[in-house]
């Protein structure tokens, strides 16, 4: 598996198989895989970059650079796997940052960025089933905003551990589903029906809870950002090197949040698009359409109210595969 052709053999499926994986994507991800959603994911990628100040937490830079250092002639090309590549923007930018490395993005629906560097490629694949044969293959594996959409996040973590080379780096990141106040306390959820007194409460907080309760893995296990390091420790193949939480204001500057004003503006756009993307999850869960539309209107009013001072928390974790590299 040292060449591009080797990768193509492993991640090449029939059209029928690819269509089936796309159907699974809609069943598990609970969000669309259309162009509008890809644009939202690209926008969210920019939010992650502003918080991380890079493609991953800056504290992990030394570990990632060491894992992907240029090899001597005759040694295997360093390789990166991006699980849940979405719009493909992370993999493309990672390939540009490390042009000597091979970057592979996989998702249940094919990532189609406008430009793909020669050292980057994308495939339709199910990380929970299609990584057999890649044991000990990758130097870095990136998995962002995925754990909350799989039926068994611990099994996925075990697969990632097996696919990493000893000494390889795992980059994991996800958001908490909760909405917080400016004091970083949980924002109380608005009560339903809508006519209830909801002073000091949040419809966005209610929406996030209702939507994520209906996502597949939430019925099995809570896999918010704060829980990612616990999955890694429970699996046991990797050692957590660090974890850091990041706060994103929504429609305000967050006071002490670096680049808070820009993040706050992007978060409004991200949240508004997320309302439309996640609407079907609520409808499929049995909520009447008029109720869902009323909630959307209430949330949009909050998102554009500069006095709400809402925040969300995002978490990045980096770990190393145990054993001699």
């Amino acid at each position: 598996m040292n060449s591009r052709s080797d990768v193509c053999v492993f991640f090449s499926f029939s059209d029928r198989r690819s269509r089936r994986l796309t159907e699974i994507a809609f069943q598990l991800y609970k969000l669309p895989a259309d162009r509008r959603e890809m644009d939202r994911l690209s926008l969210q990628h920019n939010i992650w970059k502003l918080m991380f100040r890079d493609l991953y937490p800056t504290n992990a830079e030394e570990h990632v650079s060491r894992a992907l250092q240029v090899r001597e002639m005759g040694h295997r090309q360093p390789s990166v796997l991006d699980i849940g590549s979405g719009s493909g923007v992370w993999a493309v930018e990672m390939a540009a940052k490390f042009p000597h490395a091979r970057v592979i993005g996989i998702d249940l629906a094919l990532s189609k960025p406008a430009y793909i560097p020669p050292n980057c490629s994308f495939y339709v694949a199910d990380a929970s089933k299609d990584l057999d044969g890649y044991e000990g293959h990758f130097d870095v594996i990136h998995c962002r905003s995925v754990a909350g959409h799989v039926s068994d996040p611990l099994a996925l973590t075990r697969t990632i551990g097996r696919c990493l080379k000893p000494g390889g780096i795992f980059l994991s990141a996800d958001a908490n589903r909760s909405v917080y106040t400016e004091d970083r306390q949980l924002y109380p959820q608005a009560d339903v029906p809508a006519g209830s007194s909801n002073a000091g409460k949040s419809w966005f907080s209610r929406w996030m809870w209702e939507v994520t309760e209906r996502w597949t893995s939430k019925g099995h296990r809570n896999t918010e950002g704060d829980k990612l390091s616990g999955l890694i420790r429970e699996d046991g193949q990797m050692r957590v090197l660090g974890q850091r939480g990041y706060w994103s204001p929504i429609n305000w500057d967050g006071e002490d949040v670096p680049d808070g004003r820009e993040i706050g503006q992007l978060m409004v756009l991200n949240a508004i698009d997320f309302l439309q993307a996640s609407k079907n999850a609520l409808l499929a869960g049995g909520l009447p359409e008029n109720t869902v539309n009323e909630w959307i209107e209430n949330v949009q009013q909050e998102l554009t109210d500069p006095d709400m001072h809402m925040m969300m928390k995002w978490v990045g974790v980096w770990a190393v595969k145990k054993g001699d590299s």
Side-chain angles (χ1 to χ4, degrees):
M1 292 187 297
N2 296 340
S3 69
R4 179 171 183 157
S5 60
D6 291 326
V7 173
C8 289
V9 169
F10 277 89
F11 285 125
S12 180
F13 305 115
S14 67
D15 288 342
R16 182 178 179 182
R17 164 74 164 146
S18 295
R19 286 195 299 271
R20 176 56 184 154
L21 285 175
T22 301
E23 291 173 4
I24 293 173
F26 283 100
Q27 294 169 8
L28 293 181
Y29 186 50
K30 300 297 184 183
L31 293 173
D34 56 17
R35 172 47 54 190
R36 181 172 181 176
E37 175 64 3
M38 294 304 104
D39 289 344
R40 187 188 70 84
L41 292 177
S42 292
L43 183 151
Q44 186 170 279
H45 168 76
N46 289 330
I47 295 172
W48 279 110
K49 280 182 63 179
L50 285 169
M51 293 187 296
F52 284 167
R53 311 195 78 76
D54 204 336
L55 294 172
Y56 39 80
T58 53
N59 309 70
E61 179 62 50
E62 178 183 355
H63 305 287
V64 173
S65 295
R66 184 184 303 119
L68 297 178
Q69 61 187 327
V70 178
R71 310 286 162 78
E72 296 179 2
M73 186 69 68
H75 288 258
R76 185 177 62 82
Q77 182 183 22
S79 57
V80 179
L81 177 65
D82 182 20
I83 296 176
S85 50
S87 68
V89 62
W90 187 91
V92 166
E93 293 185 11
M94 191 69 173
K97 181 172 181 175
F98 295 96
H100 60 282
R102 182 84 181 122
V103 181
I104 301 166
I106 63 171
D107 210 328
L108 295 173
L110 185 64
S111 301
K112 300 178 180 179
Y115 169 73
I116 303 177
N119 61 322
C120 180
S121 53
F122 296 95
Y123 303 94
V124 175
D126 184 348
S128 66
K129 300 177 181 178
D130 296 324
L131 290 176
D132 291 342
Y134 279 92
E135 289 78 5
H137 182 76
F138 295 99
D139 299 279
V140 171
I141 296 181
H142 175 255
C143 188
R144 188 177 72 191
S145 300
V146 172
H149 299 281
V150 296
S151 58
D152 192 341
L154 180 58
L156 176 62
T157 304
R158 287 174 176 153
T159 297
I160 289 169
R162 289 195 298 269
C163 290
L164 273 175
K165 292 176 57 179
I169 299 299
F170 176 36
L171 301 169
S172 183
D174 218 322
N176 286 356
R177 65 172 174 172
S178 300
V179 178
Y180 298 83
T181 67
E182 61 183 326
D183 298 323
R184 302 182 183 181
Q185 303 299 311
L186 292 178
Y187 225 125
Q189 298 173 18
D191 295 322
V192 293
S196 305
S197 175
N198 283 309
K201 299 179 181 179
S202 168
W203 279 103
F204 189 41
S205 181
R206 164 65 63 179
W207 183 277
M208 291 300 297
W209 186 87
E210 294 283 354
V211 167
T212 53
E213 277 294 297
R214 288 163 172 78
W215 283 349
T216 301
S217 67
K218 298 302 180 182
H220 300 270
R221 185 169 195 152
N222 188 319
T223 48
E224 296 180 302
D226 279 332
K227 306 296 177 65
L228 296 176
S229 60
L231 290 172
I232 296 170
R233 292 188 175 96
E234 185 173 353
D235 168 55
Q237 297 179 81
M238 297 172 278
R239 177 169 56 88
V240 174
L241 295 171
Q243 173 175 322
R244 183 175 175 186
Y246 302 82
W247 292 92
S248 63
I250 303 174
N251 200 27
W252 66 297
D253 62 11
E255 294 183 350
D256 60 346
V257 175
D259 296 311
R261 182 167 297 281
E262 184 176 359
I263 291 173
Q265 293 171 347
L266 292 175
M267 280 294 297
V268 174
L269 300 176
N270 182 51
I272 289 175
D273 283 346
F274 180 77
L275 292 177
Q276 296 302 322
S278 56
K279 176 180 178 179
N280 284 339
L282 298 184
L283 295 176
L287 287 177
E289 186 168 8
N290 62 331
T291 297
V292 174
N293 288 335
E294 183 179 359
W295 289 9
I296 288 177
E297 184 176 337
N298 292 337
V299 175
Q300 288 177 334
Q301 289 177 359
E302 288 185 357
L303 293 172
T304 55
D305 181 357
D307 295 325
M308 283 295 292
H309 283 196
M310 295 183 290
M311 304 189 81
M312 293 195 71
K313 185 181 181 182
W314 314 64
V315 179
V317 180
W318 53 104
V320 61
K321 173 74 173 287
K322 296 176 182 177
D324 296 330
S325 58

